[in-house]
Amino acid sequence: MSVVNNMAALDPVAPQLSWSDTPFASLRSVRTDARARLLAGYIRSAIDFLSGPDRDKLTACAVPRCVRYFVKVHGRQEFCRPSCGNWAQAARFYHRHRADSGR
Ligand SMILES: [Zn+2]
């Protein structure tokens, strides 16, 4: 866990508030190294996600050969993308048809 936290600390940032028509928050970086800023930004986003309320919606795709995870947008969602849903539907049809033919 310390590796993740150290990577997030590669780019210390300060919150900034802008106010034109509506308030807008952003983070000001003090680093000029684009690679460190990008890496730290990704890690901060991962930390925000894993410590936030959407973590409970993180689900493994139900297709056995698929290695993807996704965030459920509704309760019955089982697949990471439509092509995995199509694959599962075709597999169910194949097994049902094969069982009906007596093989
Ligand atoms: Zn999938």
Side-chain angles (χ1 to χ4, degrees):
M1 207 50 57
S2 66
V3 171
V4 170
N5 292 330
N6 289 341
M7 290 170 87
L10 283 174
D11 183 25
V13 293
Q16 302 290 299
L17 180 64
S18 304
W19 204 302
S20 53
D21 292 337
T22 58
F24 178 76
S26 62
L27 297 175
R28 188 180 78 191
S29 173
V30 295
R31 297 274 303 227
T32 57
D33 180 7
R35 185 173 175 259
R37 285 196 327 256
L38 180 65
L39 182 60
Y42 278 132
I43 296 297
R44 280 194 307 270
S45 294
I47 289 171
D48 286 346
F49 174 76
L50 292 173
S51 63
D54 285 342
R55 181 189 64 198
D56 294 338
K57 298 176 186 172
L58 185 65
T59 307
C61 183
V63 170
R65 65 181 181 164
C66 184
V67 296
R68 294 179 183 220
Y69 286 81
F70 63 97
V71 177
K72 277 188 173 187
V73 292
H74 59 80
R76 297 186 59 197
Q77 187 176 4
E78 297 178 62
F79 308 108
C80 65
R81 54 190 169 159
S83 62
C84 280
N86 292 340
W87 186 90
Q89 187 177 19
R92 280 193 304 268
F93 177 82
Y94 172 78
H95 288 297
R96 189 173 47 236
H97 183 70
R98 189 173 175 196
D100 289 344
S101 67
R103 291 183 190 171

